Amino acid sequence: MEVSHDVKEMSFRIRRGVTRRGCALYSSGVYGSTEEVLTQSRRVTLPSAKRYWLMKSEPSVFSIQDLKKSPGRRTCWEGVRNYQARNYMRAMRAGDLVLFYHSNADPPAVAGIAEVVREVYPDQTAFDPKNKYCDPKSTPAKPLWEMVDIRLVRLFARAVPIGTLRREPGLRRMELLRTGSRLSVQPVRSAEWKIVLALAEK
């Protein structure tokens, strides 16, 4: 995930355990003109059709290869501390598909596909005073931060670098490529999803 105010969620995973499978301690797409826009202050209703997302992770912290090695090839996406990114996770439904994006890499690239397998639930790392990203304002009775679980679907034989994405006319409106966009969790339009998958097959 990109190192930014909303993407700090990954930095403690390897240090505290091995990979995101440390989450086990806590857990015992159509995006376009028809959707209501998520804001930082409210939860909205999206169409029931399958939706598509992009989630960023720094490969030096937790890569798609680490996800492959995780038990059940599954992990939770804890540590998000940006309201809009959290709201996007609230909109996710089991079965939604995710582009797993390696940020802060050389080059940054879409590395594969994951699937949402558990819908949003409280992020208990926020309750842990020993955790770097504990938030005293978030309590078990009134959780402020939440997470989802994802499972690996497949790795791309060749990752799709951001330079390739930028050269594709059909991706000009993609949130990832928008100037100033730093969210670690982003929606992806169905047309954009198809283009990225086609690029991965080239």
Side-chain angles (χ1 to χ4, degrees):
M1 297 181 186
E2 288 183 328
V3 179
S4 67
H5 65 282
D6 73 291
V7 193
K8 55 191 180 184
E9 57 264 36
M10 294 295 293
S11 62
F12 58 87
R13 290 190 179 92
I14 298 299
R15 291 198 299 272
R16 83 172 184 206
V18 235
T19 65
R20 277 181 179 264
R21 68 172 176 257
C23 297
L25 299 173
Y26 300 106
S27 353
S28 32
V30 176
Y31 168 58
S33 60
T34 60
E35 90 174 321
E36 294 182 57
V37 177
L38 289 171
T39 70
Q40 294 187 10
S41 60
R42 64 191 177 95
R43 187 182 304 201
V44 300
T45 302
L46 293 176
S48 58
K50 186 186 294 292
R51 284 151 293 195
Y52 304 97
W53 309 91
L54 180 144
M55 301 175 92
K56 297 179 181 179
S57 179
E58 294 184 8
S60 62
V61 178
F62 188 86
S63 68
I64 198 168
Q65 288 78 16
D66 292 321
L67 178 58
K68 183 179 180 180
K69 296 174 186 176
S70 298
R73 308 207 303 179
R74 173 173 174 159
T75 190
C76 64
W77 207 263
E78 86 279 22
V80 172
R81 297 296 180 265
N82 173 275
Y83 287 105
Q84 187 164 355
R86 179 207 63 184
N87 286 352
Y88 283 143
M89 289 198 299
R90 285 179 171 180
M92 292 178 176
R93 296 294 175 263
D96 284 359
L97 295 174
V98 176
L99 295 174
F100 196 108
Y101 183 79
H102 281 167
S103 62
N104 199 25
D106 186 19
V110 179
I113 300 172
E115 177 185 16
V116 177
V117 292
R118 182 177 179 183
E119 295 177 11
V120 71
Y121 60 103
D123 180 349
Q124 297 184 38
T125 65
F127 313 146
D128 183 357
K130 296 179 181 179
N131 192 287
K132 182 177 180 179
Y133 299 111
C134 176
D135 186 346
K137 298 186 295 298
S138 184
T139 66
K142 195 172 182 180
L144 184 61
W145 304 110
E146 295 162 318
M147 59 186 176
V148 297
D149 288 1
I150 64 169
R151 180 172 56 216
L152 178 66
V153 174
R154 69 182 175 100
L155 282 74
F156 290 158
R158 290 190 302 174
V160 183
I162 192 167
T164 300
L165 301 177
R166 291 191 186 281
R167 290 192 294 271
E168 180 58 47
L171 298 179
R172 287 174 181 167
R173 297 174 59 218
M174 191 174 187
E175 176 65 22
L176 175 69
L177 306 180
R178 186 174 62 82
T179 301
S181 177
R182 298 180 58 122
L183 289 174
S184 62
V185 180
Q186 306 175 359
V188 176
R189 297 174 179 86
S190 57
E192 295 166 344
W193 177 271
K194 293 174 184 176
I195 291 171
V196 174
L197 264 59
L199 292 171
E201 297 299 327
K202 288 185 176 180

